[in-house]
């Protein structure tokens, strides 16, 4: 378990101690060294908080996951994120984590995540919304939103897609309604967070 906060480590230890021997590290760098030294750790739980510790400034959570994956390719990795958000879970899994669980999750979700990681199965906190859950967008709406996310204007999107500006504006209004967004910038932020666009 890698976390700078002793109370968090204590809680995780309480959840898992009946089934696992627990090693703890305050910093990600220390944990990488521990994995190299011991060499037989089955699962690492990596806290993703940005402010984990000053010593970890050079080793962000996703990079720690990549480093642990390279150091011990067969080890399961549970990413322990701040919130149950799709973009955080996706980034952790892309970095090489087997499982993602938010700090808001209960003990049962943490235990399931660790067991899944041990078996090299994927586990995502049930509180994380599924991909595209904020509202399905049509292919055309995604194209327009992607062009807007890439810095294009309404008129540029219209030219690119061979549509009238009025049609692009109508699609944009429908995107805002489907995503519950306040404006185009908010719609782009939601779509990126929920992996609706690249």
């Amino acid at each position: 378990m890698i976390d700078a906060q002793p109370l968090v480590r204590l809680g995780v230890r309480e959840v898992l101690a009946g089934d696992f021997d627990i090693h703890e590290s305050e910093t990600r760098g220390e944990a990488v060294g521990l994995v190299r030294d011991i060499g037989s750790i089955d699962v690492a739980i990596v806290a993703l908080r940005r402010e984990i510790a000053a010593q970890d400034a050079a080793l962000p959570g996703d990079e720690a996951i990549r480093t642990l994956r390279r150091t011990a390719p067969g080890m399961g990795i549970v990413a322990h994120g701040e919130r149950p958000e799709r973009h955080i879970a996706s980034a952790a899994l892309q970095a090489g984590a087997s499982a993602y669980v938010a700090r808001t999750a209960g003990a049962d979700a943490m235990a399931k995540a660790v067991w899944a990681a041990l078996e090299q199965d994927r586990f995502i906190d049930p509180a994380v919304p599924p991909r595209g859950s904020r509202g399905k967008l049509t292919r055309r709406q995604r194209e327009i939103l992607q062009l807007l996310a890439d810095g294009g204007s309404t008129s540029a999107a219209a030219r690119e897609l061979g549509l009238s500006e009025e049609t692009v504006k109508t699609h944009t209004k429908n995107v805002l309604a489907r995503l519950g967004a306040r404006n185009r910038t908010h719609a782009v932020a939601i779509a990126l967070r929920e992996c609706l666009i690249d």
Side-chain angles (χ1 to χ4, degrees):
M1 171 64 195
I2 308 163
D3 199 299
Q5 296 182 353
L7 196 54
V8 172
R9 295 195 313 268
L10 175 65
V12 172
R13 188 180 329 124
E14 284 294 313
V15 170
L16 302 174
D19 296 313
F20 297 95
D21 291 329
I22 311 293
H23 299 277
E24 298 177 21
S25 294
E26 288 187 28
T27 69
R28 297 177 189 126
E30 179 184 295
V32 170
L34 186 65
V35 168
R36 283 187 182 125
D37 293 344
I38 294 177
S40 62
I41 294 178
D42 296 318
V43 177
I45 302 170
V46 181
L48 298 180
R49 289 191 338 277
R50 293 189 198 285
E51 71 282 359
I52 183 169
Q55 303 95 310
D56 276 341
L59 192 61
D62 57 346
E63 189 54 39
I65 291 169
R66 285 187 195 92
T67 302
L68 288 168
R69 177 65 59 220
R70 284 190 302 269
T71 303
M75 180 175 63
I77 299 174
V78 176
H80 195 208
E82 283 294 311
R83 296 172 305 283
E85 293 187 9
R86 168 60 55 187
H87 71 286
I88 300 172
S90 294
L93 295 172
Q94 287 171 2
S98 312
Y100 176 83
V101 66
R103 293 170 71 82
T104 56
D108 59 329
M110 175 58 82
K112 286 178 183 175
V114 170
W115 281 107
L118 181 66
E119 298 296 323
Q120 295 296 320
D121 290 334
R122 184 163 281 198
F123 176 87
I124 299 176
D125 189 328
V128 172
R131 279 184 180 261
S133 62
R134 291 288 288 255
K136 299 288 184 197
L137 299 181
T138 66
R139 181 183 56 79
R140 181 64 79 192
Q141 289 169 337
R142 286 177 192 247
E143 289 173 341
I144 291 169
L145 197 54
Q146 185 66 60
L147 290 169
L148 296 175
D150 293 339
S153 64
T154 300
S155 56
R159 279 192 307 275
E160 175 84 18
L161 299 172
L163 302 171
S164 71
E165 285 189 42
E166 198 55 45
T167 300
V168 171
K169 287 179 184 176
T170 299
H171 279 301
T172 303
K173 285 179 190 172
N174 290 335
V175 166
L176 297 180
R178 285 186 181 204
L179 296 180
R182 296 183 300 275
N183 53 42
R184 289 182 350 177
T185 303
H186 189 213
V188 166
I190 290 169
L192 286 169
R193 186 173 64 231
E194 306 228 350
C195 302
L196 299 174
I197 60 174
D198 298 324

